[in-house]
């Protein structure tokens, strides 16, 4: 799998993965680090954990941006550790339909090993949940976890690093493809959720899939979503 790191600000990194064009995140403080999403399965999660360890030996906390398989099925590779998510994430993680659909898709596309790995991935539920906002102190760096309202799911999480003017957007933003509007999305509310993101005045926004972008890109994607939702 082709991967590459991008340091979007000092101690704030994005790691781009070829499969699913996925982008995972890492925020490093003086005392601990925050891992943003954990990958597609436990093998991918272990590779991601090793990559984080190559950057920093600090103890980690995990945040899950939402309960689609590619964002949380690698969490077992990081435990034991605190795992943060929105309160609506737990029941969505336990819904088998989304993962089953992708297992079937991988099998249909001849990706038997990926199907097996995904089917075998253990569900690690969040240990810490919040409804609106939460603040994490990494030592010399504070990170804000923000629920912007219904959008890609009803439990999306923005990860804001104020001192670096960086926000990890999960799948609220996608670069290289239109945002994924699945059955659990709320297209009508999505533009308002992006307004919450833009109000943070980020200089860099790291999407759940694709390369980091700027606020102008987010504004353009917001306008597209608003037009599509009528």
């Amino acid at each position: 799998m082709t991967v590459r790191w991008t340091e979007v600000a000092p101690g704030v990194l994005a790691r781009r993965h070829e499969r699913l064009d996925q982008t995972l995140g890492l925020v490093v403080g003086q005392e601990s680090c925050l891992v943003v999403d954990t990958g597609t399965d436990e093998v991918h999660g272990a590779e991601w954990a090793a990559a984080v360890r190559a950057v920093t030996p600090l103890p980690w906390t995990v945040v899950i941006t939402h309960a689609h398989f590619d964002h949380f099925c690698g969490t077992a590779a990081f435990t034991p550790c605190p795992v943060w998510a929105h309160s609506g994430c737990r029941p969505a993680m336990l819904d088998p339909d989304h993962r089953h659909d992708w297992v079937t898709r991988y099998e249909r596309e001849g990706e038997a090993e990926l199907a097996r790995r995904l089917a075998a991935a253990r569900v690690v539920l969040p240990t810490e949940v919040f409804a609106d906002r939460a603040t994490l102190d990494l030592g010399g760096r504070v990170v804000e976890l923000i629920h912007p309202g219904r959008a890609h799911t009803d439990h999306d999480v923005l990860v804001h690093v104020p001192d670096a003017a960086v926000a990890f957007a999960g799948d609220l933003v996608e670069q290289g493809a239109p945002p994924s509007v699945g059955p659990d999305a709320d297209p009508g509310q999505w533009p308002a959720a992006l307004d919450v993101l833009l109000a943070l005045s980020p200089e860099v926004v790291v999407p759940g899939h694709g390369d980091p972008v700027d606020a102008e890109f987010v504004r353009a994607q917001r306008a597209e979503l608003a037009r599509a939702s009528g």
Side-chain angles (χ1 to χ4, degrees):
M1 180 181 293
T2 300
V3 295
R4 54 186 169 87
W5 283 105
T6 301
E7 187 169 30
V8 298
V12 184
L13 301 97
R15 186 169 170 87
R16 180 92 171 267
H17 296 250
E18 182 178 26
R19 185 167 299 281
L20 302 180
D21 201 17
Q22 187 174 26
T23 306
L24 305 174
L26 175 64
V27 184
V28 182
Q30 295 173 4
E31 299 172 1
S32 62
C33 66
L34 180 65
V35 175
V36 183
D37 288 335
T38 60
T40 57
D41 56 56
E42 292 183 37
V43 174
H44 187 200
E47 293 168 349
W48 172 217
V52 171
R53 276 290 164 256
V55 173
T56 176
L58 291 171
W60 52 41
T61 292
V62 164
V63 58
I64 302 301
T65 61
H66 63 289
H68 288 165
F69 84 93
D70 47 327
H71 296 265
F72 79 91
C73 280
T75 304
F78 292 86
T79 55
C81 71
V83 179
W84 281 83
H86 183 264
S87 54
C89 194
R90 281 178 170 171
M93 283 179 170
L94 294 172
D95 183 347
D97 289 343
H98 176 69
R99 185 164 25 164
H100 173 76
D101 289 347
W102 272 89
V103 169
T104 301
R105 175 172 172 172
Y106 281 144
E107 290 172 341
R108 185 173 63 248
E109 294 175 351
E111 298 277 10
E113 176 60 17
L114 289 177
R116 184 197 64 78
R117 283 163 40 177
L118 178 54
R122 290 166 286 174
V123 174
V124 177
L125 295 174
T127 62
E128 313 291 336
V129 298
F130 70 99
D132 297 311
R133 290 180 180 246
T135 300
L136 306 182
D137 187 348
L138 305 183
R141 166 167 275 166
V142 169
V143 177
E144 299 172 340
L145 308 182
I146 302 167
H147 173 53
R150 297 177 63 92
H152 181 65
T153 69
D154 65 1
H155 55 272
D156 296 302
V157 175
L158 295 171
V159 180
H160 182 218
V161 190
D163 72 283
V166 174
F168 292 86
D171 287 2
L172 286 170
V173 177
E174 290 199 34
Q175 185 274 334
S180 175
V181 183
D184 50 352
D186 190 334
Q189 296 300 314
W190 202 322
L194 291 180
D195 287 339
V196 175
L197 168 58
L198 290 167
L200 301 173
S201 301
E203 295 178 8
V204 179
V205 175
V206 181
H209 301 268
D211 279 328
V213 299
D214 59 16
E216 286 304 313
F217 180 96
V218 176
R219 290 189 185 96
Q221 198 156 88
R222 182 208 181 281
E224 293 172 4
L225 284 162
R227 284 193 295 270
S229 63

